[in-house]
């Protein structure tokens, strides 16, 4: 059992190496060493920008829970399917392709349909709730065919990411959109480190004969996504009758006058009138 988390640990270690000691090169004359102090400064700036808006800060916390919960699946999926269902690389590869196809459908088509009638906050709430249910059911499933259905539920949670990015893009000016979105990307990178660490250790601990429950990491993923959905409800009231952020104010000065730093969610937001096409 102690050898099962090896692949996850390798992934964690590679991610740590990339974060702390990466090197980029696009030709020998353009190569440069990774400046860790500069990276820390950029991360600090990104996270300090989050605190200027309660909407962005709340979404950052929610997406941290979403990314961290998702890593419970990403980190040990191959190990889990091999251990519980005795699947080989071919079967697992086909299932991963199926999951990728589900992600394309949800992020490319379903979310567009939903955003015609729902706010971004409601999309985030529903997708996190569905994925939380999927994680919980997947943890207790012993039939691989049924497991594929619950995996589709889990993949539905991926709609929360583009919905959150859409909100962030509409809450900041064009000159700071890259910094804000980059901050969310850095949150995902950090969760890959911690997610691979705790998910693999939990999986190893719960495949012992005296403490056997290999789905334990997915129960944790379910809890994290349920918590994220609860925070969406507490922070943004997604069921309130507010129009989706479909036609935002694009002028930075006008945006600043409408959304001041620290403006509570639901007050003076730039929600334009929404007319379904």
């Amino acid at each position: 059992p102690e050898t099962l988390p090896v692949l996850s640990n390798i992934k964690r270690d590679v991610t740590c190496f990339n974060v702390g000691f990466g090197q980029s090169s696009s030709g020998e004359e353009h190569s440069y060493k990774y400046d860790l102090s500069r990276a820390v400064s950029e991360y600090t700036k990104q996270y300090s920008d989050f605190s200027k808006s309660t909407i962005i800060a709340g979404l950052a916390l929610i997406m941290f829970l979403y990314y961290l919960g998702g890593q419970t699946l990403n980190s040990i999926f191959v190990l889990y399917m091999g251990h519980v269902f005795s699947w080989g690389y071919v079967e697992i590869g086909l299932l991963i392709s199926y999951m990728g196809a589900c992600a394309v459908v949800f992020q490319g088509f379903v979310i567009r349909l939903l955003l015609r009638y729902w706010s971004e906050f409601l999309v985030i709430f529903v997708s996190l709730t569905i994925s939380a249910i999927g994680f919980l059911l997947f943890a207790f499933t012993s039939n691989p065919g049924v497991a594929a259905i619950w995996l589709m539920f889990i993949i539905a949670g991926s709609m929360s990411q583009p919905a959150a990015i859409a909100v962030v893009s509409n809450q900041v000016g064009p000159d700071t959109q890259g910094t804000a979105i980059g901050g969310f990307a850095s949150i995902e990178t950090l969760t890959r480190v911690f997610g691979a660490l705790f998910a693999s250790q939990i999986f190893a601990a719960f495949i012992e004969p005296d403490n056997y429950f290999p789905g334990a990491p997915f129960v944790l993923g379910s809890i994290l996504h349920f918590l994220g959905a609860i925070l969406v409800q507490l922070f943004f009231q997604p069921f309130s009758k507010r129009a989706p952020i479909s036609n935002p104010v694009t002028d930075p000065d006008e945006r600043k006058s409408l959304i001041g730093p620290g403006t509570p969610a639901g007050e003076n937001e730039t929600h334009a009138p929404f007319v379904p096409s």
Side-chain angles (χ1 to χ4, degrees):
E2 64 272 10
T3 62
L4 286 174
V6 169
L7 292 178
S8 296
N9 289 337
I10 290 175
K11 177 182 177 182
R12 177 201 64 202
D13 296 338
V14 169
T15 304
C16 291
F17 181 84
N18 288 335
V19 170
F21 304 100
Q23 181 172 338
S24 175
S25 176
S26 58
E28 186 174 349
E29 67 277 10
H30 299 294
S31 63
Y32 62 92
K33 292 185 177 180
Y34 188 87
D35 189 340
L36 182 58
S37 61
R38 180 179 178 182
V40 172
S41 176
E42 287 296 325
Y43 278 119
T44 303
K45 183 179 184 300
Q46 290 168 355
Y47 296 137
S48 65
D49 289 342
F50 288 171
S51 64
K52 297 178 182 178
S53 168
T54 54
I55 293 178
I56 297 180
L59 281 176
L61 176 58
I62 291 166
M63 294 310 294
F64 172 79
L65 295 173
Y66 163 72
Y67 290 135
L68 192 61
Q71 292 306 318
T72 61
L73 179 68
N74 297 338
S75 300
I76 65 168
F77 179 72
V78 174
L79 303 176
Y80 179 84
M81 297 302 294
H83 177 77
V84 175
F85 300 116
S86 300
W87 276 24
Y89 293 117
V90 174
E91 294 87 349
I92 295 175
L94 292 174
L95 188 58
I96 292 175
S97 298
Y98 158 79
M99 293 165 63
C102 290
V104 170
V105 172
F106 281 117
Q107 296 189 27
F109 300 99
V110 176
I111 189 172
R112 292 185 180 183
L113 178 63
L114 294 179
L115 287 176
R116 293 181 61 184
Y117 306 101
W118 293 356
S119 71
E120 284 87 345
F121 299 122
L122 183 54
V123 170
I124 297 172
F125 175 83
V126 171
S127 61
L128 285 176
T129 302
I130 293 175
S131 65
I133 295 172
F135 267 115
L136 189 61
L137 295 175
F138 183 72
F140 292 94
T141 298
S142 58
N143 185 301
V146 177
I149 298 176
W150 306 141
L151 284 172
M152 182 175 62
F153 278 48
I154 295 174
I155 300 301
S158 64
M159 292 188 296
S160 61
Q161 181 176 3
I165 295 300
V167 174
V168 172
S169 298
N170 287 285
Q171 294 298 318
V172 298
D175 55 333
T176 57
Q177 283 184 1
T179 299
I181 296 175
F184 277 75
S186 68
I187 292 175
E188 182 179 9
T189 300
L190 291 175
T191 58
R192 289 178 183 176
V193 179
F194 300 113
L197 176 63
F198 74 75
S200 60
Q201 297 305 317
I202 293 175
F203 180 64
F206 279 89
I207 58 175
E208 297 291 342
D210 297 335
N211 198 29
Y212 190 78
F213 180 42
F218 306 131
V219 174
L220 178 59
S222 176
I223 293 173
L224 291 172
H225 281 202
F226 266 127
L227 182 58
I230 291 173
L231 292 181
V232 173
Q233 174 62 30
L234 292 178
F235 291 165
F236 306 117
Q237 295 82 43
F239 292 97
S240 62
K241 295 181 179 180
R242 294 185 296 143
I245 308 174
S246 302
N247 300 294
V249 177
T250 56
D251 182 76
D253 294 331
E254 185 178 0
R255 185 192 307 279
K256 185 176 180 181
S257 66
L258 292 173
I259 308 179
T263 301
E267 297 182 14
N268 301 325
E269 295 179 18
T270 58
H271 290 256
F274 177 68
V275 179
S277 57

